[in-house]
Amino acid sequence: MTTPIQPVTSVAASAPIAWVALAAVGDTAFDVQRDQREGLDGVPDAEALTILQQLRGQSPAERNALVSALSEGQLCALRGLGPEGLSFGEQGELFDLLASSLDGYNLARVGAVYLHSAAASLWGDSLCRRASADTTLAFLKTWAPRIEAAPSSMEVAAVGGDTVSSAVSLLAAQALAGLANHTRQVDEVLQLLAPHPSEAGRLQSVVGAAQQMHVSVPACPWGGVTTVTCHPEPLLRLIDASACATSRCAKASVFEWSAQLLGKMAVGRSAVPGLVARQGINAALAQSLTRLVCSDTAGILGALETHHGGGHGLAAYVREMVHQGRTNELRVMTEQLRCSHDACEDPVRHFNQHDAQGRYRHAATLGYYVGAVQAACQVFSSEMAPWAHPLAAIFAGGLSGGQGMEGKLWLSGGAVRALQRVAASPPLALGAPIVERLTRALKAGPQDDAVTALVLPHAAEGAPVEKKEAAIACVAAMRRVINAHGL
């Protein structure tokens, strides 16, 4: 249906002369839906640079007032400023001026205009870099209702490319990425996107779109290979921004849905035939996830155990960390789960502690972690023997790397203090007997007690000191993860 757009007299009367050409678009009947599909010529090319020059001389309030006065059809004409009318650099400058000047409502209006244009990514980048934290929060509050029906990245790939909803979610991801180190705003956004930790909500769609998966279908139906490319740079920035949040549940959800991408890209076991990612992206994603976990290791893993009990994201993460040779970081996490985030509590007391509801959360979280590590080696590797050494290093080893090792690890926050405890503690003997025992245990299956025995707290003479109830909670969480992987 076409919608008549009336001329905006406030723009024609008070704005610089070049804006008259933009406002004049309102004199004609205009179909917003058609324009979003086909584009609009909009402002003559000769006027484009003049409009940019005039925007440079205006205050943020004046720019916001001008955009407020434009109808939806005239905003679509604004899209006609580029790329033909402006160079790439000039269009980037235009976006920077708008992103740093508009309020949240107008950012959403402009975002809808550029959503499916060739400049969508450039607009998202300007929004990430130039909008203030409070304005970005206001934008996301206005934008969030559009995300409701957004599919995951894999659903997008399955139908052969981008969809409207994935573009909506990607812009939300880019905006959220710009809130790094703004704790209050990040907390509000994550609560808005995932109000219920056990439900996917909108956050899963945002994380999925940030993976930027695109399908390339061969031109000839009888030949060629269909490939799926992955460019998750927006996801890396989103993960880093989420690390400053205070909600353990929200951070756990970001971790779970982001880490599952590692399972899709796993070496030798891609869940997506033809999936291609640039070199080093697995390591970059694992590093971002490590920084996220280190912001509250015990808390985030505890929330994962409670709300994402299958451990699929954690198992994929562990597999990639072992592939990258990062068992030192995993060893520090083991110590944090044994002795609290700062690794300063007695491991026996910590393991046997229960909450007001009588639940042994620390024991369950440790078991969940052990189960994910075992699932990683069982699911992602057909050869068990090479996993015996990493398992021993993760659960009982010292730290390797020599002088300056601390600066090479992907650790931050309380994990750095935990690192000092691990470095000062003598490792268990990791000679042939323990490796052989673990090899036999891996071949026997993940239910073997050999791995669990490395983790449960023991007295100096080796006798177990854990409460029966705590040990049951630990083993139950471990087996839940193992069963979820079909092992």
Side-chain angles (χ1 to χ4, degrees):
M1 181 181 72
T2 59
T3 304
I5 305 296
Q6 297 302 316
V8 182
T9 55
S10 60
V11 173
S14 61
I17 188 63
W19 285 87
V20 175
L22 186 59
V25 177
D27 290 329
T28 61
F30 186 77
D31 184 335
V32 176
Q33 296 297 324
R34 184 206 65 219
D35 174 72
Q36 289 183 347
R37 294 191 306 269
E38 302 173 3
L40 177 71
D41 291 336
V43 178
D45 292 351
E47 302 287 356
L49 189 56
T50 304
I51 289 178
L52 175 60
Q53 291 170 341
Q54 291 166 347
L55 278 174
R56 289 170 181 157
Q58 292 179 318
S59 68
E62 289 171 330
R63 296 180 196 125
N64 190 59
L66 268 175
V67 172
S68 296
L70 295 175
S71 68
E72 302 307 314
Q74 291 158 341
L75 276 177
C76 287
L78 180 64
R79 193 171 67 200
L81 295 182
E84 293 82 4
L86 297 174
S87 68
F88 181 82
E90 289 165 344
Q91 190 170 28
E93 182 185 358
L94 170 67
F95 286 170
D96 284 352
L97 289 172
L98 295 176
S100 61
S101 304
L102 304 186
D103 57 27
Y105 177 73
N106 278 329
L107 286 177
R109 295 177 70 217
V110 174
V113 167
Y114 284 100
L115 198 59
H116 306 294
S117 73
S121 179
L122 187 62
W123 168 246
D125 182 62
S126 291
L127 183 61
C128 174
R129 293 183 297 102
R130 299 304 301 269
S132 70
D134 286 332
T135 302
T136 299
L137 175 60
F139 160 76
L140 286 168
K141 287 180 177 179
T142 303
W143 195 254
R146 299 169 178 260
I147 306 172
E148 289 281 8
S152 69
S153 62
M154 290 316 303
E155 291 171 325
V156 172
V159 299
D162 299 327
T163 67
V164 172
S165 50
S166 68
V168 168
S169 297
L170 177 58
L171 187 58
Q174 291 173 297
L176 175 53
L179 293 177
N181 301 317
H182 294 279
T183 298
R184 177 180 63 82
Q185 290 84 353
V186 170
D187 281 343
E188 288 195 44
V189 171
L190 292 180
Q191 175 62 27
L192 177 70
L193 298 178
H196 307 293
S198 297
E199 299 177 7
R202 300 166 179 143
L203 182 57
Q204 186 175 19
S205 297
V206 172
V207 170
Q211 297 174 11
Q212 291 197 116
M213 288 192 177
H214 305 281
V215 173
S216 298
V217 180
C220 300
W222 56 86
V225 178
T226 298
T227 60
V228 182
T229 57
C230 179
H231 302 281
E233 284 74 13
L235 179 61
L236 304 182
R237 294 193 293 269
L238 183 153
I239 295 170
D240 290 340
S242 300
C244 75
T246 59
S247 170
R248 296 171 171 178
C249 294
K251 290 195 281 191
S253 294
V254 171
F255 179 93
E256 175 69 20
W257 295 318
S258 301
Q260 288 183 15
L261 177 59
L262 287 173
K264 299 168 189 172
M265 299 190 298
V267 176
R269 184 190 172 273
S270 175
V272 185
L275 179 61
V276 178
R278 69 170 174 81
Q279 186 175 9
I281 199 65
N282 294 48
L285 181 53
Q287 184 172 7
S288 289
L289 289 169
T290 302
R291 288 195 295 263
L292 175 63
V293 171
C294 285
S295 67
D296 185 2
T297 306
I300 292 173
L301 290 178
L304 284 169
E305 188 274 327
T306 301
H307 300 293
H308 302 278
H312 296 285
L314 184 58
Y317 166 75
V318 169
R319 169 63 181 84
E320 184 60 35
M321 290 292 282
V322 172
H323 178 73
Q324 296 290 334
R326 316 299 303 201
T327 55
N328 281 338
E329 286 87 343
L330 297 175
R331 175 69 181 89
V332 171
M333 291 179 192
T334 301
E335 199 67 19
Q336 289 182 292
L337 297 180
R338 281 174 170 164
C339 308
S340 81
H341 186 60
D342 293 339
C344 59
E345 293 185 18
D346 175 72
V348 175
R349 185 183 302 110
H350 187 75
F351 184 85
N352 291 331
Q353 187 178 17
H354 61 76
D355 60 17
Q357 289 74 41
R359 183 163 187 241
Y360 292 88
R361 293 186 179 276
H362 298 158
T365 302
L366 182 59
Y368 177 80
Y369 179 68
V370 175
V373 173
Q374 292 190 77
C377 67
Q378 296 283 341
V379 170
F380 293 104
S381 176
S382 59
E383 180 60 49
M384 295 297 102
W387 270 85
H389 288 280
L391 275 175
I394 291 169
F395 292 131
L399 299 178
S400 60
Q403 189 174 7
M405 172 265 301
E406 295 87 348
K408 301 174 184 177
L409 299 186
W410 297 341
L411 300 177
S412 60
V416 175
R417 291 185 288 275
L419 168 67
Q420 298 168 352
R421 179 186 177 97
V422 177
S425 302
L428 298 180
L430 297 182
I434 192 170
V435 173
E436 291 175 0
R437 183 155 50 102
L438 285 172
T439 302
R440 290 195 298 271
L442 290 170
K443 291 180 179 179
Q447 305 289 1
D448 192 277
D449 294 333
V451 176
T452 311
L454 286 176
V455 182
L456 295 179
H458 289 72
E461 62 274 15
V465 293
E466 68 274 3
K467 288 183 179 180
K468 179 181 178 180
E469 296 83 356
I472 290 174
C474 178
V475 173
M478 178 190 74
R479 289 181 175 173
R480 187 173 70 246
V481 176
I482 290 171
N483 291 339
H485 285 80
L487 301 173

